[in-house]
Amino acid sequence: MIAIKISFKLNGKWVEADVEPYKRALDFLRDDMGMTSVKEGCSEGECGACTIIVNGRNVHSCLMLAVELDGKDVWTLEGIIESGETYISEAYADVGAVQCGFCTPGFIVSTKVLLDENPNPKEEDIKKALEGNICRCTGYARIIEAVKEAARRKRGDAS
Amino acid sequence: MKFNYAAPVTLEELSELKKGGGKLFSGGTDLFVKMRAGVLKPDLVVDTKKVETPKLECDKGLRIYMNTTYTDILKSGCARKYSLLMKILLEVGSPQIRNRGTPVGNLGNASPAGDFLLSTYVYDSKVIVGPSMREVPVKNFVKGPGKVDLSDEEFIYAVILEPLEGYTTYYEKVGRRNSMVISIASIAVALKIESGVIEDARIAYGSVGPTVVRFTDLEEKLIGERPKKELFESLAMEYSDRVKPITDVRASAEYRKKLTGNLLIKAYLNMNL
């Protein structure tokens, strides 16, 4: 099978790559691009551990082909942190919303999409925004608290 | 699993590739799950997103095109008056699924549990089938679970929902949790009431038969009547008797029959008629 040339923006920088037509975005980002924050969980769009941002929207990289990234603006947790947007991950750590941590990158990515759109989410908005991310450790209470804390920090409110 | 990828830019190419055995996808939220599970093993997947189509048109009914995602509709101002549709779409999957998945894909998949599919029955929708652009009412288009009226070279180009003006609506999906769930049973109801009398009634159920079901003879029993609890209770029993659900991993047939009637009574109680 002939590899397909793609060119896209990964975490703010244009990159080029040759990808097999059947390679998933998840495998390409992890194995070829070294973006190991993108986790393989269920591989069927249930758990959200592989969540990335494509053109401003959060999507499952396990249900997407690498070739579909062509021309897109793609963000993973690595890029969010490197660009200095650490207020979400810090809020998760400070509130204690991380236990084993496997789901955390996906949660932070979905949280970023929520807060970029709605800097003052109500609890219901938070639950709706995170309904595609599953955490088997925390029971979600701390995660919801962390999103509220991150929202306060983004708005610049004293906590 | 190895396969090839094509992304045609015209509808003619798309049709040719499908005729040759290619599997169409837009968001991949159904196809890639089935391929992962080994249910489908295509040699070629055909990405429809390079074909330029409008997203939505709201002037003559709501037209939803092949690459329009659930999120596109939820964020669109002009679709907002389709309030029952909005309620249903908010319950589809998760943000990640709604950002990629498409109503046209849900229709093509023709699962009796399809959330969008349920709405199309209440909105008396028509399917526009390419490349000929013939129009088919959705109830004739869906033939059974996963079976639709498409020949090898045909594809769904768009779906048209007729507006429901002056209707009171209700929707509920029963499952083990709210998000990401495949329903045990679902109901969508639209009632038009003029001067205290029911003028039109549409009642659709998901997951209680091989396709979404509506029984127009039972709906007609409501027309001309005042919306009284006893009326809905007796109709609920008729619906429970009429549906032919299956037993599967999610629930038994008996449970689904009981649920069918109870959902209608619950719909009545929640609609504040």
Side-chain angles (χ1 to χ4, degrees):
Chain A
M1 263 165 220
I2 307 157
I4 299 168
K5 189 174 276 305
I6 60 169
S7 154
F8 69 104
K9 228 168 151 182
L10 178 58
N11 294 325
K13 294 184 203 87
W14 282 97
V15 294
E16 277 191 3
D18 293 310
V19 295
E20 289 91 357
Y22 49 83
K23 186 173 262 186
R24 298 179 299 177
L26 164 66
D27 302 318
F28 168 69
L29 290 170
R30 271 188 76 81
D31 302 342
D32 301 354
M33 295 285 115
M35 299 294 139
T36 52
S37 76
V38 187
K39 305 293 184 200
E40 175 156 25
C42 68
S43 300
E44 54 183 32
E46 289 274 347
C47 78
C50 69
T51 303
I52 59 171
I53 301 175
V54 177
N55 288 359
R57 291 180 180 176
N58 49 334
V59 301
H60 296 120
S61 60
C62 73
L63 296 183
M64 187 174 190
L65 297 174
V67 290
E68 292 182 76
L69 298 174
D70 187 40
K72 299 291 194 297
D73 183 19
V74 180
W75 289 84
T76 66
L77 179 64
E78 284 86 347
I80 295 169
I81 302 297
E82 276 163 26
S83 65
E85 278 198 271
T86 52
Y87 66 95
I88 302 171
S89 52
E90 284 166 3
Y92 270 71
D94 292 346
V95 168
V98 179
Q99 286 189 31
C100 88
F102 191 84
C103 70
T104 310
F107 268 97
I108 293 174
V109 166
S110 289
T111 303
K112 177 181 159 53
V113 171
L114 167 69
L115 296 182
D116 284 353
E117 243 175 51
N118 178 3
N120 195 9
K122 294 194 275 291
E123 183 150 331
E124 275 312 303
D125 302 327
I126 296 171
K127 286 181 179 172
K128 199 75 196 147
L130 298 182
E131 68 185 354
N133 293 82
I134 292 177
C135 172
R136 296 284 85 150
C137 306
T138 63
Y140 303 101
R142 295 282 178 90
I143 291 176
I144 290 163
E145 199 39 58
V147 178
K148 289 180 185 167
E149 177 58 24
R152 282 192 285 272
R153 292 181 186 184
K154 186 179 169 79
R155 294 194 308 265
D157 299 358
S159 59
Chain B
M1 188 186 5
K2 294 190 177 181
F3 52 84
N4 252 314
Y5 169 90
V9 294
T10 68
L11 294 171
E12 293 70 31
E13 288 172 81
L14 181 84
S15 171
E16 276 303 308
L17 290 163
K18 180 168 179 283
K19 197 177 174 184
K23 279 279 170 202
L24 304 192
F25 80 97
S26 183
T29 55
D30 281 315
L31 180 64
F32 295 141
V33 174
K34 285 181 182 163
M35 286 168 66
R36 185 81 189 167
V39 179
L40 287 174
K41 294 171 184 163
D43 294 324
L44 174 69
V45 298
V46 181
D47 184 346
T48 63
K49 293 191 291 298
K50 296 275 167 76
V51 179
E52 291 239 1
T53 53
K55 281 232 181 291
L56 277 178
E57 283 168 6
C58 304
D59 42 351
K60 275 187 266 163
L62 178 66
R63 280 170 188 254
I64 302 167
Y65 290 86
M66 59 197 297
N67 291 316
T68 308
T69 65
Y70 296 109
T71 300
D72 291 335
I73 300 171
L74 287 164
K75 284 184 189 282
S76 127
C78 79
R80 207 164 296 157
K81 71 170 182 174
Y82 293 78
S83 56
L84 175 67
L85 175 72
M86 291 307 200
K87 266 186 259 176
I88 292 175
L89 296 191
L90 261 182
E91 298 294 320
V92 171
S94 63
Q96 291 96 319
I97 297 290
R98 292 192 290 273
N99 285 340
R100 287 267 292 169
T102 65
V104 163
N106 190 255
L107 190 55
N109 210 37
S111 158
D115 297 310
F116 173 73
L117 187 64
L118 181 71
S119 77
T120 64
Y121 278 70
V122 177
Y123 283 101
D124 282 343
S125 308
K126 283 199 282 282
V127 184
I128 303 178
V129 175
S132 66
M133 302 300 169
R134 67 187 173 94
E135 291 188 8
V136 198
V138 70
K139 63 180 195 298
N140 301 341
F141 180 74
V142 178
K143 301 287 185 196
K147 290 195 176 62
V148 292
D149 172 23
L150 285 180
S151 62
D152 289 346
E153 71 274 12
E154 285 185 321
F155 54 88
I156 305 169
Y157 177 65
V159 54
I160 312 170
L161 278 60
E162 296 299 334
L164 291 170
E165 312 227 346
Y167 283 75
T168 306
T169 62
Y170 184 78
Y171 168 68
E172 180 158 355
K173 169 160 82 167
V174 179
R176 297 293 290 274
R177 66 185 188 113
N178 287 331
S179 315
M180 290 304 308
V181 89
I182 299 169
S183 61
I184 291 171
S186 56
I187 188 171
V189 181
L191 295 178
K192 188 170 196 173
I193 297 173
E194 286 288 336
S195 323
V197 172
I198 299 171
E199 215 171 61
D200 189 27
R202 303 177 188 188
I203 301 166
Y205 283 98
S207 299
V208 294
T211 66
V212 170
V213 288
R214 266 182 73 181
F215 302 121
T216 44
D217 60 317
L218 296 185
E219 290 173 2
E220 277 163 15
K221 291 192 174 186
L222 290 173
I223 293 168
E225 301 289 334
R226 293 188 177 273
K228 294 260 172 54
K229 193 175 168 210
E230 298 73 35
L231 177 66
F232 281 84
E233 282 174 342
S234 76
L235 197 64
M237 286 169 67
E238 293 198 61
Y239 272 98
S240 279
D241 286 342
R242 184 77 70 88
V243 295
K244 293 190 174 63
I246 56 163
T247 294
D248 65 11
V249 289
R250 287 184 286 280
S252 68
E254 292 77 6
Y255 181 76
R256 285 190 162 103
K257 269 181 168 291
K258 182 82 182 159
L259 204 52
T260 299
N262 287 355
L263 278 171
L264 184 61
I265 296 167
K266 190 172 175 188
Y268 166 77
L269 293 172
N270 278 280
M271 283 198 289
N272 300 313
L273 300 169

